[in-house]
Amino acid sequence: MGEEFWNDPKREKEGDVKITDLVSYVVQVREGLPWTFVEVHTDDGLTGLGECSDYRSTPMLVAGIEAAKPLVVGQDPSHIEEIWQRIFHQYSTMNGRGYISHIVSGIDIALWDIRGQALGVPVYQLLGGPVRPSVPLYTHIQDQWYEGVKIADAVQAARQTVADGYGGIKTDPFKWQRARQGPYRGADMVERLSPKAIAEAIEWMDAVREAVGPDYELMVDAHGRFDVASAIAAGRALEHVKLIWYEEPVPPESFQALRQVRENTDIPLCIGERHFTRWDYIPIFEQRLVDYVMPDVAWCGGISELRRIAAMAEPYYIRFSPHDALGPVSIMAGFHVCMTAPNLYRQECLHTWFEDFKKIVTPMFDYHDGAIWPSDRPGLGIALNHDALKQYQLDPWDLKARRFR
Ligand SMILES: [Mg+2]
């Protein structure tokens, strides 16, 4: 295809269908956890649904979707890759990552939804078809930093989760090391773990291990909070728990720090939710920094990019396991990729949120026996319930409404 194709002014007018609008919705069904959805509207009446939720930056996302309109409105919605490339490269001064890859993700997911609807097939059929009958999940119990939570609560939740049929559990056993007031939670400086904090974390994990038995699959999330010495000390102390992985032991900026943890512990590692696009993953794979990767479909660049990162992991014989702690559209977008990727471990979920998902999407996806099951519905297979949505819509600029739990 020569230059004349790209330079033909008529090219963008040739397609039958055009994108007419991008619409964002901010919804808060769970206190302190706003979800940001994107609808892509077309002039043939089809509407695609995407998600790019991020708990700390909702107003930025809404503004970013608005800002992307000149790059997207008027385009053919079947040109998914071209639109992906256009947004990513037009924002190269912002490195195309993080904030920008969130925007790309929301739009990309909605475009795949439209494509599936236009062709009358589920998205996973467009990605090569299924390689498994369903997508196995892992889920969460409380983290030890939850307010007022006790080890007995974690033990009870772990037993219940096993009984409910989920095959894996992740938890953060590390209490916050910096006292803070108010509802805000999240690291605001790199933390040091005291020997006492590590001992408390081990007590938590030993109790959970005892509750679920020696063969059950457990993961620990450190949420990228610790300095190297703390991360190594905690990793060594956790070795006997026989985890599937120890997640984000150090902050995401330094691969050298991660390598130090890698070389000084004997525990499988996982990173990915704070890395975006295929380019961020090149050193992770080439330097064998981790054993699992967990890109987030709503942050890394959408369905297109999640599929590519999974495919990049495959020749390194590394499993991928999408991060998912957002809303119902995100988990469905990840699900369609997981149906088709041979090197899947499990898809993350918070199964206790599924009842909330039912309040705003229709129909709810099918889940049972610790897995999400495919349907024949075209596209993602879910849509926003606009009547119900009004009840939960949030003004993204309302500071009070955006207080975090
Ligand atoms: Mg995590």
Side-chain angles (χ1 to χ4, degrees), residues 170 221 223 247-248 273-274 294 323:
K170 190 164 81 183
D221 193 350
H223 288 106
E247 177 172 318
E248 291 195 303
E273 67 186 83
R274 290 171 175 81
M294 45 141 193
H323 172 260

Side-chain angles (χ1 to χ4, degrees), residues 52-102:
C52 55
S53 306
D54 186 289
Y55 301 134
R56 302 292 186 264
S57 54
T58 302
M60 294 165 60
L61 298 170
V62 171
I65 292 159
E66 186 68 26
K69 279 185 183 176
L71 301 173
V72 177
V73 171
Q75 301 301 308
D76 183 333
S78 71
H79 293 195
I80 301 172
E81 183 60 25
E82 187 188 357
I83 293 170
W84 196 106
Q85 295 281 340
R86 174 174 292 184
I87 304 171
F88 179 76
H89 288 289
Q90 288 282 320
Y91 285 112
S92 66
T93 51
M94 299 179 83
N95 201 20
R97 316 288 212 280
Y99 175 41
I100 301 307
S101 60
H102 282 55

Side-chain angles (χ1 to χ4, degrees), residues 198-235:
I198 293 175
E200 288 172 338
I202 300 307
E203 192 184 354
W204 176 276
M205 289 311 303
D206 283 345
V208 172
R209 170 56 79 202
E210 172 80 23
V212 299
D215 299 327
Y216 193 80
E217 303 197 352
L218 290 176
M219 289 141 272
V220 158
D221 193 350
H223 288 106
R225 288 156 54 195
F226 305 128
D227 60 49
V228 168
S230 299
I232 291 171

